[in-house]
């Protein structure tokens, strides 16, 4: 369940926000002043912060500016004044969105849901990119995607560009059988010159470079009548 921090000194508004968010299956925690809001935001784990502009102790502007130094979670500011909106736009505070009082509770929930979704997709994308660049270690084979280097038994083997891309694609999709046609499409692209027989040539070259015994391949297996797969047992 997503957890939301509500920093709001107006008890009626805070209760309204809390009720509607919890009715939409969000967990909430409410604080009524800026100093406590800053403390909770830094010390506890939240998925989104709903932050009033005018607060005792510290303003929403001050809190947002400080949190953005080392936090990357959605922040929605709640404002009652038109001039506050101009400040939010102009100060570069890193606010994800703002909502003006009086607001529709359903609009509030919709904005919270939208920004949680955006943030989750960005996290997934970043994690995917990080995972994509992670070093691959299988038995005695080591593949470094970022530097495009390959080692077997700690000895570097030199691969041509398409040999490396073919090996990397297979290693990132272990134990899946790919036809020559699919491999050609994925590695060379639909508009490339050549045909699927190119894949066979490159597979043979790869085996010569990374397999101890090409007649009994340890990594790239032939599935007769179907294609090739990268074996991970």
């Amino acid at each position: 369940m997503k957890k939301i921090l509500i920093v709001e000194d107006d008890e009626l508004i805070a209760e309204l926000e809390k009720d509607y968010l919890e009715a939409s299956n969000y967990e909430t925690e409410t604080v009524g002043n800026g100093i406590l809001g800053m403390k909770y935001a830094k010390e506890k784990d939240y998925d989104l912060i709903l932050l009033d502009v005018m607060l005792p102790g510290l303003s929403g502007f001050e809190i947002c500016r400080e949190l953005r130094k080392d936090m990357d979670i959605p922040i929605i500011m709640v404002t009652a004044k038109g001039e506050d909106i101009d400040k939010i736009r102009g100060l570069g505070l890193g606010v994800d969105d703002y909502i003006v009082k009086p607001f529709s509770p359903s609009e509030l929930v919709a904005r919270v849901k939208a920004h949680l979704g955006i943030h989750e997709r960005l996290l997934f994308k970043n994690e995917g990119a990080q995972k994509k660049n992670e070093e691959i270690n299988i038995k005695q084979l080591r593949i470094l995607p970022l530097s495009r280097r390959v080692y077997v038994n700690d000895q570097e083997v030199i691969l041509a560009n398409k040999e490396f891309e073919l090996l990397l694609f297979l290693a990132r999709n272990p134990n899946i059988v790919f036809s020559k046609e699919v491999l050609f499409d994925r590695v060379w692209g639909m508009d490339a010159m050549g045909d699927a027989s190119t894949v066979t040539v490159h597979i043979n070259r790869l085996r010569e470079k990374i397999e101890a015994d090409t007649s009994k391949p340890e990594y790239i297996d032939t599935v007769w009548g179907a294609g090739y797969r990268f074996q991970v047992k």
Side-chain angles (χ1 to χ4, degrees):
M1 182 181 291
K2 299 294 185 182
K3 190 172 182 180
I4 298 169
L5 174 63
I6 299 170
V7 189
E8 172 62 68
D9 64 324
D10 186 316
E11 292 184 10
L12 291 177
I13 293 176
E15 197 63 33
L16 178 70
E17 293 171 344
K18 178 182 176 69
D19 288 346
Y20 272 85
L21 289 169
E22 290 186 349
S24 299
N25 296 317
Y26 295 114
E27 182 182 349
T28 66
E29 192 159 15
T30 304
V31 296
N33 67 76
I35 294 173
L36 198 55
M38 177 82 82
K39 177 180 172 65
Y40 275 40
K42 286 193 167 186
E43 294 180 358
K44 300 189 179 185
D45 189 21
Y46 299 101
D47 297 289
L48 181 143
I49 298 174
L50 199 57
L51 182 61
D52 189 28
V53 170
M54 302 303 293
L55 293 164
L58 288 171
S59 73
F61 295 136
E62 293 171 298
I63 294 171
C64 188
R65 186 180 290 109
E66 181 64 25
L67 293 182
R68 277 297 181 243
K69 292 178 181 179
D70 53 16
M71 292 182 68
D72 182 26
I73 66 170
I75 297 176
I76 299 177
M77 295 199 85
V78 180
T79 175
K81 299 179 180 179
E83 57 264 31
D84 289 339
I85 296 171
D86 292 334
K87 288 180 183 178
I88 290 169
R89 289 171 174 167
L91 292 176
L93 297 170
V95 175
D96 293 273
D97 200 356
Y98 63 86
I99 190 166
V100 180
K101 301 175 187 175
F103 52 81
S104 160
S106 59
E107 181 188 359
L108 173 69
V109 172
R111 292 196 186 201
V112 166
K113 183 177 180 180
H115 285 286
L116 285 171
I118 291 168
H119 189 68
E120 199 166 79
R121 287 192 294 274
L122 286 173
L123 283 176
F124 181 78
K125 184 177 180 180
N126 291 337
E127 287 170 2
Q130 182 178 357
K131 187 175 181 181
K132 192 174 182 180
N133 291 323
E134 285 179 358
E135 182 177 309
I136 299 170
N137 289 279
I138 300 166
K139 300 176 185 176
Q140 302 304 312
L141 177 66
R142 186 157 63 103
I143 304 171
L144 285 66
L146 283 176
S147 61
R148 298 177 70 85
R149 305 179 89 167
V150 176
Y151 294 84
V152 178
N153 293 315
D154 294 325
Q155 297 295 314
E156 185 173 6
V157 295
I158 306 302
L159 301 182
N161 183 48
K162 289 303 180 185
E163 290 171 358
F164 178 84
E165 290 180 10
L166 179 59
L167 176 62
L168 185 60
F169 176 79
L170 288 168
R172 281 176 172 164
N173 299 278
N175 299 321
I176 299 173
V177 179
F178 294 98
S179 69
K180 289 184 288 186
E181 290 76 18
V182 169
L183 288 172
F184 185 78
D185 179 37
R186 296 293 184 88
V187 177
W188 279 264
M190 293 181 66
D191 298 328
M193 298 293 290
D195 56 39
S197 62
T198 302
V199 174
T200 303
V201 172
H202 281 71
I203 290 289
N204 290 337
R205 289 177 182 169
L206 273 176
R207 283 175 173 161
E208 290 172 1
K209 294 179 179 181
I210 68 172
E211 302 283 5
D213 183 353
T214 56
S215 65
K216 296 178 181 178
E218 189 176 0
Y219 301 108
I220 302 175
D221 185 32
T222 299
V223 181
W224 297 107
Y228 302 99
R229 71 179 163 209
F230 192 90
Q231 300 183 92
V232 176
K233 296 179 181 177

